[in-house]
Amino acid sequence: MSHPSATPVLELLHVDKHFGQLHVLRDIELTVGRQEVVVVVGPSGSGKSTLCRTINGLETIDSGTIRIDGVPLPAEGRELARVRADVGMVFQSFNLFSHLSVLDNVVLAPTMVRRAKKAEAREHAMSLLERVGLADKADRRPAQLSGGQQQRVAIARALAMRPKVMLFDEPTSALDPEMINEVLEVMTGLARDGMTMVVVTHEMGFARRAADRVVFMDGGRIVEQAAPETFFTSPSSERARAFLESVMSH
């Protein structure tokens, strides 16, 4: 495993978020160091996905501050787009453009947003497809791929922007069991290579294997955070103990 440095890539300070009457994020304080892998776990409805979506500005926050590499996340406009370009996001659903080839899906954002030269972008995209094991599928359309392959293309597409941090929001929850491992393997490789990552997942094996730190959320709050070994063997809160008992018994 790479060792996280002290420089935070991501800081959330006193972040609050409501959906109407529902208080979904409550005074969230979270710092993620460069090259750190933070896995966020907790019961459904605990605010994990909303946390992910606020970090790259898909959801606005009511109060508090989010900083990416020291720069506060703006509320809207061109500044937001600029900061957001540094944050890669992989969703539950793959969100690939069905009318484009796999290669063109990966090339699109770097050429449009980063203004990368087409030839360089294609070369980089091919190296990323190689990395996720799909270089031989570059000319296919997304519909010709399995769900696991589509999600690996989505990871390559996010990496093509050379992000400072990668967010994964339940990246395997829409996949058949046999496809889950091929995606987790790619993510484990990224963690090993020193990519800064925030991963919301139900895959406890991945959390144990790849995380530098596990963050447990419940009721919109961060209840506890610890190294994986500590969290899985001796969680400090009653709620985390109950959660682990329920997920480990399945």
Side-chain angles (χ1 to χ4, degrees), residues 104-131:
D104 287 339
N105 264 283
V106 180
V107 166
L108 186 66
T111 51
M112 300 279 288
V113 180
R114 295 265 193 231
R115 299 277 181 250
K117 292 193 171 72
K118 197 74 186 270
E120 281 168 25
R122 286 176 79 84
E123 194 177 319
H124 185 220
M126 281 307 296
S127 72
L128 291 171
L129 289 173
E130 185 101 27
R131 184 176 188 174

mmCIF file with all atom_site columns, all heavy atoms in Angstrom, residues 104-131:
data_model
loop_
_atom_site.group_PDB
_atom_site.id
_atom_site.type_symbol
_atom_site.label_atom_id
_atom_site.label_alt_id
_atom_site.label_comp_id
_atom_site.label_asym_id
_atom_site.label_entity_id
_atom_site.label_seq_id
_atom_site.pdbx_PDB_ins_code
_atom_site.Cartn_x
_atom_site.Cartn_y
_atom_site.Cartn_z
_atom_site.occupancy
_atom_site.B_iso_or_equiv
_atom_site.pdbx_formal_charge
_atom_site.auth_seq_id
_atom_site.auth_comp_id
_atom_site.auth_asym_id
_atom_site.auth_atom_id
_atom_site.pdbx_PDB_model_num
ATOM 1   N N   . ASP A 1 104 ? -14.026 6.464  -27.734 1.00 0.00 ? 104 ASP A N   1
ATOM 2   C CA  . ASP A 1 104 ? -14.525 7.846  -27.820 1.00 0.00 ? 104 ASP A CA  1
ATOM 3   C C   . ASP A 1 104 ? -15.168 8.304  -26.510 1.00 0.00 ? 104 ASP A C   1
ATOM 4   O O   . ASP A 1 104 ? -15.113 9.495  -26.170 1.00 0.00 ? 104 ASP A O   1
ATOM 5   C CB  . ASP A 1 104 ? -15.507 7.998  -28.991 1.00 0.00 ? 104 ASP A CB  1
ATOM 6   C CG  . ASP A 1 104 ? -14.787 7.975  -30.337 1.00 0.00 ? 104 ASP A CG  1
ATOM 7   O OD1 . ASP A 1 104 ? -13.569 8.239  -30.359 1.00 0.00 ? 104 ASP A OD1 1
ATOM 8   O OD2 . ASP A 1 104 ? -15.440 7.674  -31.357 1.00 0.00 ? 104 ASP A OD2 1
ATOM 9   N N   . ASN A 1 105 ? -15.771 7.371  -25.765 1.00 0.00 ? 105 ASN A N   1
ATOM 10  C CA  . ASN A 1 105 ? -16.297 7.703  -24.439 1.00 0.00 ? 105 ASN A CA  1
ATOM 11  C C   . ASN A 1 105 ? -15.180 8.207  -23.524 1.00 0.00 ? 105 ASN A C   1
ATOM 12  O O   . ASN A 1 105 ? -15.369 9.146  -22.752 1.00 0.00 ? 105 ASN A O   1
ATOM 13  C CB  . ASN A 1 105 ? -16.965 6.480  -23.795 1.00 0.00 ? 105 ASN A CB  1
ATOM 14  C CG  . ASN A 1 105 ? -18.467 6.453  -23.993 1.00 0.00 ? 105 ASN A CG  1
ATOM 15  O OD1 . ASN A 1 105 ? -19.201 7.167  -23.320 1.00 0.00 ? 105 ASN A OD1 1
ATOM 16  N ND2 . ASN A 1 105 ? -18.921 5.631  -24.928 1.00 0.00 ? 105 ASN A ND2 1
ATOM 17  N N   . VAL A 1 106 ? -14.014 7.565  -23.618 1.00 0.00 ? 106 VAL A N   1
ATOM 18  C CA  . VAL A 1 106 ? -12.894 7.915  -22.742 1.00 0.00 ? 106 VAL A CA  1
ATOM 19  C C   . VAL A 1 106 ? -12.193 9.195  -23.213 1.00 0.00 ? 106 VAL A C   1
ATOM 20  O O   . VAL A 1 106 ? -11.707 9.987  -22.407 1.00 0.00 ? 106 VAL A O   1
ATOM 21  C CB  . VAL A 1 106 ? -11.895 6.726  -22.643 1.00 0.00 ? 106 VAL A CB  1
ATOM 22  C CG1 . VAL A 1 106 ? -10.723 7.066  -21.727 1.00 0.00 ? 106 VAL A CG1 1
ATOM 23  C CG2 . VAL A 1 106 ? -12.606 5.467  -22.126 1.00 0.00 ? 106 VAL A CG2 1
ATOM 24  N N   . VAL A 1 107 ? -12.189 9.425  -24.513 1.00 0.00 ? 107 VAL A N   1
ATOM 25  C CA  . VAL A 1 107 ? -11.483 10.574 -25.097 1.00 0.00 ? 107 VAL A CA  1
ATOM 26  C C   . VAL A 1 107 ? -12.283 11.877 -24.960 1.00 0.00 ? 107 VAL A C   1
ATOM 27  O O   . VAL A 1 107 ? -11.713 12.968 -24.903 1.00 0.00 ? 107 VAL A O   1
ATOM 28  C CB  . VAL A 1 107 ? -11.180 10.283 -26.598 1.00 0.00 ? 107 VAL A CB  1
ATOM 29  C CG1 . VAL A 1 107 ? -10.778 11.545 -27.343 1.00 0.00 ? 107 VAL A CG1 1
ATOM 30  C CG2 . VAL A 1 107 ? -10.091 9.225  -26.713 1.00 0.00 ? 107 VAL A CG2 1
ATOM 31  N N   . LEU A 1 108 ? -13.598 11.777 -24.878 1.00 0.00 ? 108 LEU A N   1
ATOM 32  C CA  . LEU A 1 108 ? -14.469 12.948 -24.983 1.00 0.00 ? 108 LEU A CA  1
ATOM 33  C C   . LEU A 1 108 ? -14.144 14.071 -23.991 1.00 0.00 ? 108 LEU A C   1
ATOM 34  O O   . LEU A 1 108 ? -13.876 15.202 -24.387 1.00 0.00 ? 108 LEU A O   1
ATOM 35  C CB  . LEU A 1 108 ? -15.936 12.523 -24.828 1.00 0.00 ? 108 LEU A CB  1
ATOM 36  C CG  . LEU A 1 108 ? -16.981 13.620 -25.052 1.00 0.00 ? 108 LEU A CG  1
ATOM 37  C CD1 . LEU A 1 108 ? -16.966 14.093 -26.501 1.00 0.00 ? 108 LEU A CD1 1
ATOM 38  C CD2 . LEU A 1 108 ? -18.375 13.135 -24.681 1.00 0.00 ? 108 LEU A CD2 1
ATOM 39  N N   . ALA A 1 109 ? -14.154 13.772 -22.696 1.00 0.00 ? 109 ALA A N   1
ATOM 40  C CA  . ALA A 1 109 ? -13.978 14.841 -21.696 1.00 0.00 ? 109 ALA A CA  1
ATOM 41  C C   . ALA A 1 109 ? -12.598 15.500 -21.754 1.00 0.00 ? 109 ALA A C   1
ATOM 42  O O   . ALA A 1 109 ? -12.514 16.734 -21.707 1.00 0.00 ? 109 ALA A O   1
ATOM 43  C CB  . ALA A 1 109 ? -14.277 14.314 -20.295 1.00 0.00 ? 109 ALA A CB  1
ATOM 44  N N   . PRO A 1 110 ? -11.500 14.722 -21.861 1.00 0.00 ? 110 PRO A N   1
ATOM 45  C CA  . PRO A 1 110 ? -10.194 15.400 -21.927 1.00 0.00 ? 110 PRO A CA  1
ATOM 46  C C   . PRO A 1 110 ? -10.077 16.363 -23.114 1.00 0.00 ? 110 PRO A C   1
ATOM 47  O O   . PRO A 1 110 ? -9.470  17.428 -22.990 1.00 0.00 ? 110 PRO A O   1
ATOM 48  C CB  . PRO A 1 110 ? -9.197  14.244 -22.075 1.00 0.00 ? 110 PRO A CB  1
ATOM 49  C CG  . PRO A 1 110 ? -9.894  13.047 -21.570 1.00 0.00 ? 110 PRO A CG  1
ATOM 50  C CD  . PRO A 1 110 ? -11.350 13.258 -21.828 1.00 0.00 ? 110 PRO A CD  1
ATOM 51  N N   . THR A 1 111 ? -10.672 16.021 -24.259 1.00 0.00 ? 111 THR A N   1
ATOM 52  C CA  . THR A 1 111 ? -10.573 16.920 -25.427 1.00 0.00 ? 111 THR A CA  1
ATOM 53  C C   . THR A 1 111 ? -11.519 18.105 -25.281 1.00 0.00 ? 111 THR A C   1
ATOM 54  O O   . THR A 1 111 ? -11.172 19.224 -25.660 1.00 0.00 ? 111 THR A O   1
ATOM 55  C CB  . THR A 1 111 ? -10.874 16.162 -26.742 1.00 0.00 ? 111 THR A CB  1
ATOM 56  O OG1 . THR A 1 111 ? -12.090 15.451 -26.620 1.00 0.00 ? 111 THR A OG1 1
ATOM 57  C CG2 . THR A 1 111 ? -9.758  15.203 -27.092 1.00 0.00 ? 111 THR A CG2 1
ATOM 58  N N   . MET A 1 112 ? -12.707 17.889 -24.709 1.00 0.00 ? 112 MET A N   1
ATOM 59  C CA  . MET A 1 112 ? -13.691 18.980 -24.575 1.00 0.00 ? 112 MET A CA  1
ATOM 60  C C   . MET A 1 112 ? -13.360 19.896 -23.393 1.00 0.00 ? 112 MET A C   1
ATOM 61  O O   . MET A 1 112 ? -13.420 21.114 -23.502 1.00 0.00 ? 112 MET A O   1
ATOM 62  C CB  . MET A 1 112 ? -15.097 18.407 -24.368 1.00 0.00 ? 112 MET A CB  1
ATOM 63  C CG  . MET A 1 112 ? -15.577 17.522 -25.493 1.00 0.00 ? 112 MET A CG  1
ATOM 64  S SD  . MET A 1 112 ? -16.217 18.453 -26.898 1.00 0.00 ? 112 MET A SD  1
ATOM 65  C CE  . MET A 1 112 ? -17.743 19.052 -26.229 1.00 0.00 ? 112 MET A CE  1
ATOM 66  N N   . VAL A 1 113 ? -13.042 19.288 -22.243 1.00 0.00 ? 113 VAL A N   1
ATOM 67  C CA  . VAL A 1 113 ? -12.889 20.074 -21.003 1.00 0.00 ? 113 VAL A CA  1
ATOM 68  C C   . VAL A 1 113 ? -11.443 20.509 -20.788 1.00 0.00 ? 113 VAL A C   1
ATOM 69  O O   . VAL A 1 113 ? -11.167 21.660 -20.463 1.00 0.00 ? 113 VAL A O   1
ATOM 70  C CB  . VAL A 1 113 ? -13.397 19.273 -19.780 1.00 0.00 ? 113 VAL A CB  1
ATOM 71  C CG1 . VAL A 1 113 ? -13.243 20.084 -18.503 1.00 0.00 ? 113 VAL A CG1 1
ATOM 72  C CG2 . VAL A 1 113 ? -14.862 18.870 -19.974 1.00 0.00 ? 113 VAL A CG2 1
ATOM 73  N N   . ARG A 1 114 ? -10.517 19.568 -20.963 1.00 0.00 ? 114 ARG A N   1
ATOM 74  C CA  . ARG A 1 114 ? -9.100  19.888 -20.738 1.00 0.00 ? 114 ARG A CA  1
ATOM 75  C C   . ARG A 1 114 ? -8.427  20.433 -21.998 1.00 0.00 ? 114 ARG A C   1
ATOM 76  O O   . ARG A 1 114 ? -7.256  20.800 -21.957 1.00 0.00 ? 114 ARG A O   1
ATOM 77  C CB  . ARG A 1 114 ? -8.352  18.627 -20.288 1.00 0.00 ? 114 ARG A CB  1
ATOM 78  C CG  . ARG A 1 114 ? -8.792  18.065 -18.942 1.00 0.00 ? 114 ARG A CG  1
ATOM 79  C CD  . ARG A 1 114 ? -7.903  18.571 -17.839 1.00 0.00 ? 114 ARG A CD  1
ATOM 80  N NE  . ARG A 1 114 ? -8.090  17.839 -16.603 1.00 0.00 ? 114 ARG A NE  1
ATOM 81  C CZ  . ARG A 1 114 ? -8.320  18.407 -15.432 1.00 0.00 ? 114 ARG A CZ  1
ATOM 82  N NH1 . ARG A 1 114 ? -8.433  19.720 -15.354 1.00 0.00 ? 114 ARG A NH1 1
ATOM 83  N NH2 . ARG A 1 114 ? -8.451  17.683 -14.336 1.00 0.00 ? 114 ARG A NH2 1
ATOM 84  N N   . ARG A 1 115 ? -9.157  20.415 -23.114 1.00 0.00 ? 115 ARG A N   1
ATOM 85  C CA  . ARG A 1 115 ? -8.609  20.875 -24.397 1.00 0.00 ? 115 ARG A CA  1
ATOM 86  C C   . ARG A 1 115 ? -7.354  20.088 -24.800 1.00 0.00 ? 115 ARG A C   1
ATOM 87  O O   . ARG A 1 115 ? -6.415  20.643 -25.373 1.00 0.00 ? 115 ARG A O   1
ATOM 88  C CB  . ARG A 1 115 ? -8.276  22.380 -24.336 1.00 0.00 ? 115 ARG A CB  1
ATOM 89  C CG  . ARG A 1 115 ? -9.485  23.263 -24.056 1.00 0.00 ? 115 ARG A CG  1
ATOM 90  C CD  . ARG A 1 115 ? -10.242 23.537 -25.336 1.00 0.00 ? 115 ARG A CD  1
ATOM 91  N NE  . ARG A 1 115 ? -11.384 24.399 -25.114 1.00 0.00 ? 115 ARG A NE  1
ATOM 92  C CZ  . ARG A 1 115 ? -12.658 23.977 -25.199 1.00 0.00 ? 115 ARG A CZ  1
ATOM 93  N NH1 . ARG A 1 115 ? -12.926 22.728 -25.485 1.00 0.00 ? 115 ARG A NH1 1
ATOM 94  N NH2 . ARG A 1 115 ? -13.661 24.823 -25.011 1.00 0.00 ? 115 ARG A NH2 1
ATOM 95  N N   . ALA A 1 116 ? -7.343  18.803 -24.459 1.00 0.00 ? 116 ALA A N   1
ATOM 96  C CA  . ALA A 1 116 ? -6.206  17.956 -24.828 1.00 0.00 ? 116 ALA A CA  1
ATOM 97  C C   . ALA A 1 116 ? -6.207  17.728 -26.341 1.00 0.00 ? 116 ALA A C   1
ATOM 98  O O   . ALA A 1 116 ? -7.264  17.721 -26.971 1.00 0.00 ? 116 ALA A O   1
ATOM 99  C CB  . ALA A 1 116 ? -6.309  16.612 -24.108 1.00 0.00 ? 116 ALA A CB  1
ATOM 100 N N   . LYS A 1 117 ? -5.014  17.566 -26.917 1.00 0.00 ? 117 LYS A N   1
ATOM 101 C CA  . LYS A 1 117 ? -4.920  17.252 -28.352 1.00 0.00 ? 117 LYS A CA  1
ATOM 102 C C   . LYS A 1 117 ? -5.488  15.853 -28.581 1.00 0.00 ? 117 LYS A C   1
ATOM 103 O O   . LYS A 1 117 ? -5.258  14.944 -27.788 1.00 0.00 ? 117 LYS A O   1
ATOM 104 C CB  . LYS A 1 117 ? -3.465  17.298 -28.801 1.00 0.00 ? 117 LYS A CB  1
ATOM 105 C CG  . LYS A 1 117 ? -2.865  18.707 -28.779 1.00 0.00 ? 117 LYS A CG  1
ATOM 106 C CD  . LYS A 1 117 ? -1.544  18.732 -29.542 1.00 0.00 ? 117 LYS A CD  1
ATOM 107 C CE  . LYS A 1 117 ? -1.052  20.164 -29.719 1.00 0.00 ? 117 LYS A CE  1
ATOM 108 N NZ  . LYS A 1 117 ? -0.558  20.738 -28.455 1.00 0.00 ? 117 LYS A NZ  1
ATOM 109 N N   . LYS A 1 118 ? -6.224  15.701 -29.678 1.00 0.00 ? 118 LYS A N   1
ATOM 110 C CA  . LYS A 1 118 ? -6.930  14.455 -29.970 1.00 0.00 ? 118 LYS A CA  1
ATOM 111 C C   . LYS A 1 118 ? -5.995  13.237 -29.943 1.00 0.00 ? 118 LYS A C   1
ATOM 112 O O   . LYS A 1 118 ? -6.294  12.226 -29.298 1.00 0.00 ? 118 LYS A O   1
ATOM 113 C CB  . LYS A 1 118 ? -7.613  14.566 -31.349 1.00 0.00 ? 118 LYS A CB  1
ATOM 114 C CG  . LYS A 1 118 ? -8.701  13.539 -31.617 1.00 0.00 ? 118 LYS A CG  1
ATOM 115 C CD  . LYS A 1 118 ? -9.966  13.854 -30.836 1.00 0.00 ? 118 LYS A CD  1
ATOM 116 C CE  . LYS A 1 118 ? -11.018 12.762 -30.984 1.00 0.00 ? 118 LYS A CE  1
ATOM 117 N NZ  . LYS A 1 118 ? -11.929 12.946 -32.094 1.00 0.00 ? 118 LYS A NZ  1
ATOM 118 N N   . ALA A 1 119 ? -4.848  13.350 -30.596 1.00 0.00 ? 119 ALA A N   1
ATOM 119 C CA  . ALA A 1 119 ? -3.926  12.208 -30.681 1.00 0.00 ? 119 ALA A CA  1
ATOM 120 C C   . ALA A 1 119 ? -3.401  11.812 -29.301 1.00 0.00 ? 119 ALA A C   1
ATOM 121 O O   . ALA A 1 119 ? -3.358  10.626 -28.951 1.00 0.00 ? 119 ALA A O   1
ATOM 122 C CB  . ALA A 1 119 ? -2.755  12.536 -31.612 1.00 0.00 ? 119 ALA A CB  1
ATOM 123 N N   . GLU A 1 120 ? -3.052  12.824 -28.495 1.00 0.00 ? 120 GLU A N   1
ATOM 124 C CA  . GLU A 1 120 ? -2.558  12.545 -27.134 1.00 0.00 ? 120 GLU A CA  1
ATOM 125 C C   . GLU A 1 120 ? -3.658  11.931 -26.281 1.00 0.00 ? 120 GLU A C   1
ATOM 126 O O   . GLU A 1 120 ? -3.419  11.000 -25.509 1.00 0.00 ? 120 GLU A O   1
ATOM 127 C CB  . GLU A 1 120 ? -2.055  13.838 -26.476 1.00 0.00 ? 120 GLU A CB  1
ATOM 128 C CG  . GLU A 1 120 ? -0.679  14.255 -26.938 1.00 0.00 ? 120 GLU A CG  1
ATOM 129 C CD  . GLU A 1 120 ? -0.335  15.677 -26.489 1.00 0.00 ? 120 GLU A CD  1
ATOM 130 O OE1 . GLU A 1 120 ? -0.911  16.140 -25.480 1.00 0.00 ? 120 GLU A OE1 1
ATOM 131 O OE2 . GLU A 1 120 ? 0.495   16.313 -27.163 1.00 0.00 ? 120 GLU A OE2 1
ATOM 132 N N   . ALA A 1 121 ? -4.867  12.478 -26.404 1.00 0.00 ? 121 ALA A N   1
ATOM 133 C CA  . ALA A 1 121 ? -6.000  11.967 -25.622 1.00 0.00 ? 121 ALA A CA  1
ATOM 134 C C   . ALA A 1 121 ? -6.294  10.505 -25.976 1.00 0.00 ? 121 ALA A C   1
ATOM 135 O O   . ALA A 1 121 ? -6.581  9.691  -25.101 1.00 0.00 ? 121 ALA A O   1
ATOM 136 C CB  . ALA A 1 121 ? -7.237  12.832 -25.849 1.00 0.00 ? 121 ALA A CB  1
ATOM 137 N N   . ARG A 1 122 ? -6.213  10.190 -27.263 1.00 0.00 ? 122 ARG A N   1
ATOM 138 C CA  . ARG A 1 122 ? -6.463  8.806  -27.697 1.00 0.00 ? 122 ARG A CA  1
ATOM 139 C C   . ARG A 1 122 ? -5.390  7.851  -27.165 1.00 0.00 ? 122 ARG A C   1
ATOM 140 O O   . ARG A 1 122 ? -5.692  6.746  -26.711 1.00 0.00 ? 122 ARG A O   1
ATOM 141 C CB  . ARG A 1 122 ? -6.524  8.727  -29.233 1.00 0.00 ? 122 ARG A CB  1
ATOM 142 C CG  . ARG A 1 122 ? -7.807  9.305  -29.816 1.00 0.00 ? 122 ARG A CG  1
ATOM 143 C CD  . ARG A 1 122 ? -7.771  9.302  -31.333 1.00 0.00 ? 122 ARG A CD  1
ATOM 144 N NE  . ARG A 1 122 ? -8.061  7.973  -31.874 1.00 0.00 ? 122 ARG A NE  1
ATOM 145 C CZ  . ARG A 1 122 ? -9.282  7.483  -32.080 1.00 0.00 ? 122 ARG A CZ  1
ATOM 146 N NH1 . ARG A 1 122 ? -10.350 8.228  -31.783 1.00 0.00 ? 122 ARG A NH1 1
ATOM 147 N NH2 . ARG A 1 122 ? -9.457  6.291  -32.573 1.00 0.00 ? 122 ARG A NH2 1
ATOM 148 N N   . GLU A 1 123 ? -4.151  8.325  -27.202 1.00 0.00 ? 123 GLU A N   1
ATOM 149 C CA  . GLU A 1 123 ? -3.041  7.489  -26.704 1.00 0.00 ? 123 GLU A CA  1
ATOM 150 C C   . GLU A 1 123 ? -3.210  7.220  -25.203 1.00 0.00 ? 123 GLU A C   1
ATOM 151 O O   . GLU A 1 123 ? -3.063  6.086  -24.732 1.00 0.00 ? 123 GLU A O   1
ATOM 152 C CB  . GLU A 1 123 ? -1.721  8.223  -26.971 1.00 0.00 ? 123 GLU A CB  1
ATOM 153 C CG  . GLU A 1 123 ? -0.498  7.348  -26.816 1.00 0.00 ? 123 GLU A CG  1
ATOM 154 C CD  . GLU A 1 123 ? 0.786   8.103  -27.172 1.00 0.00 ? 123 GLU A CD  1
ATOM 155 O OE1 . GLU A 1 123 ? 0.785   8.872  -28.162 1.00 0.00 ? 123 GLU A OE1 1
ATOM 156 O OE2 . GLU A 1 123 ? 1.760   7.921  -26.441 1.00 0.00 ? 123 GLU A OE2 1
ATOM 157 N N   . HIS A 1 124 ? -3.532  8.290  -24.462 1.00 0.00 ? 124 HIS A N   1
ATOM 158 C CA  . HIS A 1 124 ? -3.752  8.148  -23.016 1.00 0.00 ? 124 HIS A CA  1
ATOM 159 C C   . HIS A 1 124 ? -4.958  7.234  -22.745 1.00 0.00 ? 124 HIS A C   1
ATOM 160 O O   . HIS A 1 124 ? -4.913  6.366  -21.873 1.00 0.00 ? 124 HIS A O   1
ATOM 161 C CB  . HIS A 1 124 ? -3.969  9.542  -22.401 1.00 0.00 ? 124 HIS A CB  1
ATOM 162 C CG  . HIS A 1 124 ? -4.075  9.517  -20.910 1.00 0.00 ? 124 HIS A CG  1
ATOM 163 N ND1 . HIS A 1 124 ? -4.978  10.297 -20.212 1.00 0.00 ? 124 HIS A ND1 1
ATOM 164 C CD2 . HIS A 1 124 ? -3.417  8.797  -19.975 1.00 0.00 ? 124 HIS A CD2 1
ATOM 165 C CE1 . HIS A 1 124 ? -4.854  10.057 -18.920 1.00 0.00 ? 124 HIS A CE1 1
ATOM 166 N NE2 . HIS A 1 124 ? -3.908  9.162  -18.741 1.00 0.00 ? 124 HIS A NE2 1
ATOM 167 N N   . ALA A 1 125 ? -6.027  7.425  -23.531 1.00 0.00 ? 125 ALA A N   1
ATOM 168 C CA  . ALA A 1 125 ? -7.236  6.598  -23.366 1.00 0.00 ? 125 ALA A CA  1
ATOM 169 C C   . ALA A 1 125 ? -6.923  5.126  -23.602 1.00 0.00 ? 125 ALA A C   1
ATOM 170 O O   . ALA A 1 125 ? -7.392  4.255  -22.853 1.00 0.00 ? 125 ALA A O   1
ATOM 171 C CB  . ALA A 1 125 ? -8.328  7.075  -24.322 1.00 0.00 ? 125 ALA A CB  1
ATOM 172 N N   . MET A 1 126 ? -6.135  4.826  -24.621 1.00 0.00 ? 126 MET A N   1
ATOM 173 C CA  . MET A 1 126 ? -5.781  3.428  -24.899 1.00 0.00 ? 126 MET A CA  1
ATOM 174 C C   . MET A 1 126 ? -4.973  2.833  -23.752 1.00 0.00 ? 126 MET A C   1
ATOM 175 O O   . MET A 1 126 ? -5.179  1.678  -23.368 1.00 0.00 ? 126 MET A O   1
ATOM 176 C CB  . MET A 1 126 ? -4.999  3.307  -26.217 1.00 0.00 ? 126 MET A CB  1
ATOM 177 C CG  . MET A 1 126 ? -5.866  3.353  -27.460 1.00 0.00 ? 126 MET A CG  1
ATOM 178 S SD  . MET A 1 126 ? -7.261  2.165  -27.504 1.00 0.00 ? 126 MET A SD  1
ATOM 179 C CE  . MET A 1 126 ? -6.387  0.596  -27.499 1.00 0.00 ? 126 MET A CE  1
ATOM 180 N N   . SER A 1 127 ? -4.068  3.640  -23.172 1.00 0.00 ? 127 SER A N   1
ATOM 181 C CA  . SER A 1 127 ? -3.276  3.120  -22.039 1.00 0.00 ? 127 SER A CA  1
ATOM 182 C C   . SER A 1 127 ? -4.182  2.853  -20.833 1.00 0.00 ? 127 SER A C   1
ATOM 183 O O   . SER A 1 127 ? -3.980  1.888  -20.093 1.00 0.00 ? 127 SER A O   1
ATOM 184 C CB  . SER A 1 127 ? -2.139  4.079  -21.672 1.00 0.00 ? 127 SER A CB  1
ATOM 185 O OG  . SER A 1 127 ? -2.634  5.238  -21.050 1.00 0.00 ? 127 SER A OG  1
ATOM 186 N N   . LEU A 1 128 ? -5.214  3.684  -20.658 1.00 0.00 ? 128 LEU A N   1
ATOM 187 C CA  . LEU A 1 128 ? -6.159  3.467  -19.554 1.00 0.00 ? 128 LEU A CA  1
ATOM 188 C C   . LEU A 1 128 ? -7.032  2.249  -19.814 1.00 0.00 ? 128 LEU A C   1
ATOM 189 O O   . LEU A 1 128 ? -7.324  1.477  -18.892 1.00 0.00 ? 128 LEU A O   1
ATOM 190 C CB  . LEU A 1 128 ? -7.028  4.714  -19.345 1.00 0.00 ? 128 LEU A CB  1
ATOM 191 C CG  . LEU A 1 128 ? -6.283  5.937  -18.799 1.00 0.00 ? 128 LEU A CG  1
ATOM 192 C CD1 . LEU A 1 128 ? -7.180  7.162  -18.833 1.00 0.00 ? 128 LEU A CD1 1
ATOM 193 C CD2 . LEU A 1 128 ? -5.792  5.684  -17.372 1.00 0.00 ? 128 LEU A CD2 1
ATOM 194 N N   . LEU A 1 129 ? -7.460  2.059  -21.058 1.00 0.00 ? 129 LEU A N   1
ATOM 195 C CA  . LEU A 1 129 ? -8.250  0.866  -21.393 1.00 0.00 ? 129 LEU A CA  1
ATOM 196 C C   . LEU A 1 129 ? -7.414  -0.395 -21.181 1.00 0.00 ? 129 LEU A C   1
ATOM 197 O O   . LEU A 1 129 ? -7.915  -1.421 -20.710 1.00 0.00 ? 129 LEU A O   1
ATOM 198 C CB  . LEU A 1 129 ? -8.786  0.948  -22.824 1.00 0.00 ? 129 LEU A CB  1
ATOM 199 C CG  . LEU A 1 129 ? -9.895  1.987  -23.044 1.00 0.00 ? 129 LEU A CG  1
ATOM 200 C CD1 . LEU A 1 129 ? -10.234 2.111  -24.521 1.00 0.00 ? 129 LEU A CD1 1
ATOM 201 C CD2 . LEU A 1 129 ? -11.156 1.616  -22.235 1.00 0.00 ? 129 LEU A CD2 1
ATOM 202 N N   . GLU A 1 130 ? -6.143  -0.286 -21.498 1.00 0.00 ? 130 GLU A N   1
ATOM 203 C CA  . GLU A 1 130 ? -5.215  -1.392 -21.221 1.00 0.00 ? 130 GLU A CA  1
ATOM 204 C C   . GLU A 1 130 ? -5.187  -1.678 -19.725 1.00 0.00 ? 130 GLU A C   1
ATOM 205 O O   . GLU A 1 130 ? -5.251  -2.832 -19.282 1.00 0.00 ? 130 GLU A O   1
ATOM 206 C CB  . GLU A 1 130 ? -3.820  -0.974 -21.701 1.00 0.00 ? 130 GLU A CB  1
ATOM 207 C CG  . GLU A 1 130 ? -2.764  -2.039 -21.602 1.00 0.00 ? 130 GLU A CG  1
ATOM 208 C CD  . GLU A 1 130 ? -2.494  -2.702 -22.951 1.00 0.00 ? 130 GLU A CD  1
ATOM 209 O OE1 . GLU A 1 130 ? -2.704  -2.077 -24.017 1.00 0.00 ? 130 GLU A OE1 1
ATOM 210 O OE2 . GLU A 1 130 ? -2.089  -3.852 -22.895 1.00 0.00 ? 130 GLU A OE2 1
ATOM 211 N N   . ARG A 1 131 ? -5.102  -0.612 -18.946 1.00 0.00 ? 131 ARG A N   1
ATOM 212 C CA  . ARG A 1 131 ? -5.010  -0.739 -17.487 1.00 0.00 ? 131 ARG A CA  1
ATOM 213 C C   . ARG A 1 131 ? -6.243  -1.430 -16.891 1.00 0.00 ? 131 ARG A C   1
ATOM 214 O O   . ARG A 1 131 ? -6.136  -2.174 -15.927 1.00 0.00 ? 131 ARG A O   1
ATOM 215 C CB  . ARG A 1 131 ? -4.860  0.664  -16.890 1.00 0.00 ? 131 ARG A CB  1
ATOM 216 C CG  . ARG A 1 131 ? -4.649  0.700  -15.409 1.00 0.00 ? 131 ARG A CG  1
ATOM 217 C CD  . ARG A 1 131 ? -4.431  2.136  -14.975 1.00 0.00 ? 131 ARG A CD  1
ATOM 218 N NE  . ARG A 1 131 ? -4.044  2.202  -13.591 1.00 0.00 ? 131 ARG A NE  1
ATOM 219 C CZ  . ARG A 1 131 ? -3.675  3.329  -12.975 1.00 0.00 ? 131 ARG A CZ  1
ATOM 220 N NH1 . ARG A 1 131 ? -3.635  4.456  -13.654 1.00 0.00 ? 131 ARG A NH1 1
ATOM 221 N NH2 . ARG A 1 131 ? -3.337  3.326  -11.707 1.00 0.00 ? 131 ARG A NH2 1
#
